[in-house]
Amino acid sequence: MRAIFRRYTELGSVRLLKAEFDAQGRNSKSWTSVAGRVIGAKPFSRGALYLMLRNRTYRGEIVHKGQSHPSEHPPIIDPLLWDAVQIRLAGNTAERNAGTRSHQPSLLAGMLFDADGNRMTPTHAVKKDTRYHYYVSRPLITQDQRESATALRIPAEEIEHLVTSRVRQWLLDPGGIYQATRLPDPSAQRRLITRAGEIGKSWTELPGTRQHAFLTTLIERIDVGDDQIAIHLRPTRLAAFLDGAATLLPSASDDESQILSVPVRVRRSGRAIRMLIAGTDAFAAAKPDARLVKLLIRARRFNAILLDSDGVPFAALAKREGVSPSYFTRLVRLSYLAQDLTEAILDGRQPRELTADKLLAHSRLPLGWHEQRTVLGFA
């Protein structure tokens, strides 16, 4: 089962996974009924593979009346691999619903308004074969620009980064999510807080279509002023988006809103404006290192292989994976990296000097979390 999950993350497509299984002649498990009839032993259908990859039983949970709960059986799929598969499945679904894989929608389209209440429209300009994206107040498009001195023309990348950074901070705040959603079922509330945190941490890895769907569900409007951005949320929609089975308290209403503010400084340069955040942007310097992230994922996979090896020697496992025994051993040790250090690397908050090569160079990485922080430069 772990091999199926891992192979899906490598291929990124249920269709390709089925095609590979068909080519290999792999069939579903079979058993014989009391009447002596053989059941199963048939090629996997795409629907069966999709249901398998979404089956929360493999994560150590049971589902009852649309809600999942921790079960007594241990999980078969570790959380990192499970999340990687679910993010990929969700991204592929969103891309299919959008009708194309090549088109990426303007992230904040339909949500932005300037100080005069004018809707801001996505547009672009081409200079020296380079395309620059902007959000522009409607008067700059429909009226004489000289009559619209207060209208805005903002680089899309800047405003999108400021808004998503603030939303991610909110998602990563358990207390804020608890106060905003108020679910009557404690287990559903904990699950929602966990899922919100997962979205916040993995935001940069989500496809653009998935990000857009999430923001349009959660945000009613965004008012862009001269000194702040006001993000109007409908927080109760978070439960419906992340957990359709969740039930709100009777006092909670979808009409309830919450405003997230981002203080900014406006700098005008000709027709365009730059918006600089007036304070510390928790994600301004956060840029996940793809090689480091890939290394941690592979370390978790090697650890799962070791746990499932039934005493097979390290050398044999390493040979099976096409790596040296020493490399296999080093990666297994990396799977025991402290949880906060793992999260920092996934968020891109690791020390600048910590690269994949330097992490691998620690052939005897301490198992003690405090020692790990010191050796890797987190202390």
Side-chain angles (χ1 to χ4, degrees), residues 15-284:
R15 178 180 60 81
L16 293 178
L17 184 63
K18 171 178 166 49
E20 182 173 278
F21 282 6
D22 289 346
Q24 295 172 349
R26 294 183 62 175
N27 294 328
S28 60
K29 290 183 178 181
S30 64
W31 68 94
T32 304
S33 68
V34 177
R37 186 163 59 95
V38 177
I39 301 174
K42 296 181 179 179
F44 288 97
S45 68
R46 288 168 62 179
L49 288 172
Y50 180 82
L51 291 175
M52 188 182 301
L53 294 170
R54 298 278 294 183
N55 191 341
R56 302 189 74 88
T57 301
Y58 301 132
R59 197 186 184 184
E61 300 177 358
I62 57 173
V63 179
H64 178 64
K65 294 183 178 181
Q67 295 192 18
S68 59
H69 309 275
S71 68
E72 295 183 357
H73 69 272
I76 298 174
I77 306 300
D78 67 80
L80 193 62
L81 179 58
W82 172 269
D83 290 343
V85 168
Q86 304 315 307
I87 289 172
R88 194 61 180 266
L89 287 171
N92 288 345
T93 300
E95 288 172 343
R96 286 196 300 272
N97 292 340
T100 174
R101 292 181 182 272
S102 60
H103 174 66
Q104 292 291 331
S106 297
L107 199 57
L108 305 179
M111 293 179 248
L112 291 171
F113 296 83
D114 65 19
D116 294 329
N118 298 306
R119 187 183 294 275
M120 300 185 67
T121 304
T123 187
H124 69 273
V126 178
K127 299 177 183 178
K128 296 181 179 180
D129 298 327
T130 301
R131 185 180 294 246
Y132 298 91
H133 294 269
Y134 300 91
Y135 290 97
V136 179
S137 296
R138 292 286 294 177
L140 288 179
I141 299 175
T142 60
Q143 301 175 14
D144 188 334
Q145 295 182 11
R146 290 173 298 179
E147 299 177 2
S148 309
T150 60
L152 302 177
R153 185 172 182 265
I154 306 173
E157 185 177 0
E158 292 183 8
I159 186 72
E160 289 174 356
H161 177 73
L162 294 178
V163 169
T164 55
S165 291
R166 184 66 185 90
V167 172
R168 289 178 69 191
Q169 289 175 349
W170 179 72
L171 290 171
L172 292 168
D173 177 15
I177 298 297
Y178 176 79
Q179 292 295 329
T181 52
R182 296 179 296 171
L183 302 181
D185 181 359
S187 63
Q189 184 74 68
R190 290 192 296 271
R191 185 169 63 248
L192 179 64
I193 290 172
T194 299
R195 288 289 295 119
E198 291 171 352
I199 293 291
K201 293 173 185 176
S202 63
W203 181 262
T204 57
E205 306 303 317
L206 298 178
T209 46
R210 174 68 170 172
Q211 294 180 358
H212 184 258
F214 182 83
L215 293 176
T216 53
T217 299
L218 190 63
I219 297 176
E220 180 184 19
R221 63 182 287 146
I222 303 168
D223 293 321
V224 183
D226 288 336
D227 58 357
Q228 77 166 7
I229 300 171
I231 306 168
H232 298 257
L233 299 182
R234 296 293 191 200
T236 52
R237 296 178 185 175
L238 181 67
F241 187 85
L242 297 182
D243 189 351
T247 304
L248 299 174
L249 285 173
S251 58
S253 168
D254 188 52
D255 293 332
E256 294 182 1
S257 63
Q258 179 178 348
I259 297 178
L260 303 180
S261 297
V262 183
V264 294
R265 289 184 289 112
V266 173
R267 177 180 298 172
R268 293 185 179 272
S269 177
R271 292 171 52 201
I273 330 181
R274 294 201 61 191
M275 305 197 76
L276 307 176
I277 190 166
T280 302
D281 179 1
F283 297 94

Side-chain angles (χ1 to χ4, degrees), residues 301-377:
R301 184 165 69 84
F302 280 14
N303 180 271
I305 291 172
L306 178 63
L307 294 177
D308 198 35
S309 64
D310 294 328
V312 177
F314 263 52
L317 295 176
K319 183 177 181 181
R320 185 187 303 170
E321 293 298 316
V323 298
S324 67
S326 63
Y327 182 85
F328 188 91
T329 302
R330 277 182 287 171
L331 253 68
V332 169
R333 292 183 73 87
L334 286 184
S335 67
Y336 295 102
L337 198 64
Q339 183 65 28
D340 62 318
L341 303 190
T342 299
E343 292 179 358
I345 291 174
L346 295 177
D347 288 343
R349 296 182 286 104
Q350 72 277 356
R352 287 186 178 182
E353 63 275 9
L354 182 62
T355 64
D357 292 335
K358 289 188 177 181
L359 185 59
L360 271 176
H362 292 282
S363 58
R364 294 187 177 277
L365 185 70
L367 294 179
W369 287 1
H370 176 72
E371 289 81 2
Q372 288 179 4
R373 296 184 185 97
T374 301
V375 168
L376 298 179

